[in-house]
């Protein structure tokens, strides 16, 4: 049966957004290095194992920032013969890898916390170290919010995951600031390894969450039901002249949506008229979704499903 498909190569490119995502990814490397330097200084002046754990976790942030830049740059490549659907899933792949690295880092921090629990020592200068760590936390908070906003706005899984990762570091820094300041007041030396363990558990939770969320993109999880319903209504409204649409399927890779369905047209309809209907539907769908690759399989009346028992997902025009 006739099929109409709009290849990715003919789709409008987000030419303005891609360089912006790359600039943000490059700047993320610089920010993570600055934060690492501050946190290392915080540990150096305090001798706190908890602050050392936080600094170790920030080393991962630097490495993750480099990986994020690679993922964003690779995902921005246009479709080619070997990758006809584009390279967008590179961001999801990196987000999973970053999640694994986060989990491994959490295990290292737990090991350090266990060692410190067996060899408890009072921090040399907890307050200066805590204040330095707090300054790094403020920088991280601002940058995490920027990364999350950019990731959501431009549908970048790599930037969104980086923002979630950095934000988890902010909460850890806040807990450390409170705890390390309490050590000289309460003289609870065991609080230092305990805080290290809590940081590790926070990092561990973040890593598993990053992997879980990124796997949904790799496994082509369907968009939210309300969005699928809206696209179905759009097909119904724009498909005047056709009889029925069914088997609507959708997925998203980065900023690109993939939409496919079957369209039933009258037997006597000319191919050119059916093509015009498909063009009208495609334009209407892009008005809702933005950049999309749309595949419409045109079929004759005898393949309609609306009168078949048990048929579901049928859109009657």
């Amino acid at each position: 049966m006739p099929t109409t498909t709009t290849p990715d190569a003919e789709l409008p490119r987000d030419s303005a957004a891609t360089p912006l995502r790359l600039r943000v990814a490059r700047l993320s490397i610089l920010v993570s290095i600055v934060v690492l330097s501050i946190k290392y200084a915080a540990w150096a002046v305090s001798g706190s194992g908890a602050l050392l754990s936080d600094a170790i976790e920030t080393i991962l942030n630097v490495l993750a920032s480099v990986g994020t830049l690679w993922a964003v740059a690779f995902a921005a490549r246009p479709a080619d013969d070997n990758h006809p659907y584009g390279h967008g899933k590179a961001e999801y792949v990196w987000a999973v890898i970053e999640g694994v690295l986060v989990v491994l880092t959490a295990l290292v921090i737990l090991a350090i916390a266990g060692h410190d629990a067996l060899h408890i020592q009072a921090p040399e200068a907890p307050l200066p170290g805590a204040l330095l760590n707090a300054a790094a936390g403020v920088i991280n908070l601002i940058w995490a919010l920027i990364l999350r906003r950019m990731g959501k706005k431009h549908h970048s899984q790599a930037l969104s995951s980086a923002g979630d990762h950095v934000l988890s570091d902010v909460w850890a820094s806040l807990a450390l600031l409170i705890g390390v300041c309490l050590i000289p007041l309460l003289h609870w030396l065991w609080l230092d390894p305990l805080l290290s363990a809590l940081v590790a558990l926070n990092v561990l939770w973040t890593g598993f969450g990053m992997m879980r969320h990124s796997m949904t993109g790799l496994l082509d999880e369907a968009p939210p039901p309300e969005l699928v319903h809206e696209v179905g209504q759009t097909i119904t409204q724009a498909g005047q002249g056709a009889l029925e649409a069914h088997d609507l399927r959708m997925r998203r890779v980065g900023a690109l949506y993939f939409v496919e369905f079957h369209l039933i047209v009258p037997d006597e309809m000319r191919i050119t008229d059916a093509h015009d209907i498909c063009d009208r539907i495609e334009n209407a769908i892009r008005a809702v979704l933005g950049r999309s690759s749309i595949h419409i399989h045109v079929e004759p009346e005898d393949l309609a499903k609306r009168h078949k028992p048990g048929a579901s997902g049928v859109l009657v025009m």
Side-chain angles (χ1 to χ4, degrees), residues 16-90:
T18 297
L20 182 59
R21 288 196 294 266
L22 290 171
R23 285 197 296 270
V24 171
R26 293 189 187 101
L27 187 56
S28 188
I29 298 175
L30 177 60
V31 171
S32 61
I33 292 175
V34 170
V35 170
L36 174 61
S37 301
I38 296 175
K39 289 190 175 184
Y40 178 80
W43 167 72
V45 301
S46 68
S48 167
L51 295 183
L52 175 60
S53 298
D54 201 21
I56 291 175
E57 200 276 333
T58 306
I59 294 176
L60 175 63
N61 286 358
V62 177
L63 299 176
S65 297
V66 176
T68 297
L69 176 60
W70 169 83
V72 171
F74 193 84
R77 294 182 180 181
D80 53 36
D81 292 339
N82 291 329
H83 305 88
Y85 295 100
H87 301 77
K89 285 195 175 183

Side-chain angles (χ1 to χ4, degrees), residues 227 230-231 234 257 282-292:
L227 182 59
E230 183 179 1
V231 171
T234 300
Y257 283 94
E282 289 173 2
N283 292 332
I285 291 176
R286 290 200 178 92
V288 174
L289 299 179
R291 187 164 169 257
S292 309

Side-chain angles (χ1 to χ4, degrees), residues 156-201:
S156 173
Q157 182 60 38
L159 294 182
S160 294
S161 295
D164 291 340
H165 184 186
V166 175
L167 189 60
S168 73
D169 197 26
V170 173
W171 300 124
S173 296
L174 179 60
L176 289 174
L177 174 64
I178 296 173
V180 172
C181 289
L182 289 177
I183 290 175
L185 298 176
L186 302 177
H187 302 288
W188 293 348
L189 299 184
W190 51 265
L191 190 59
D192 195 48
L194 176 62
L195 289 172
S196 295
L198 292 177
V199 169
L201 293 176

Side-chain angles (χ1 to χ4, degrees), residues 3 21 57 109 127 130 133 139 197 204 211 235 241 247 273 279 298 310:
T3 301
R21 288 196 294 266
E57 200 276 333
I109 295 175
L127 186 56
N133 205 68
I139 296 174
L204 193 64
M211 288 189 290
I235 294 172
D247 294 344
D273 293 334
D279 284 344
V298 180

Side-chain angles (χ1 to χ4, degrees), residues 3 9 13 33 42 66 94 97 124 154-155 179 181 223 265 284-285 289 304:
T3 301
R13 296 288 176 184
I33 292 175
V66 176
W94 171 250
I97 294 174
E124 297 174 4
H154 298 293
H155 304 289
C181 289
V265 300
I285 291 176
L289 299 179

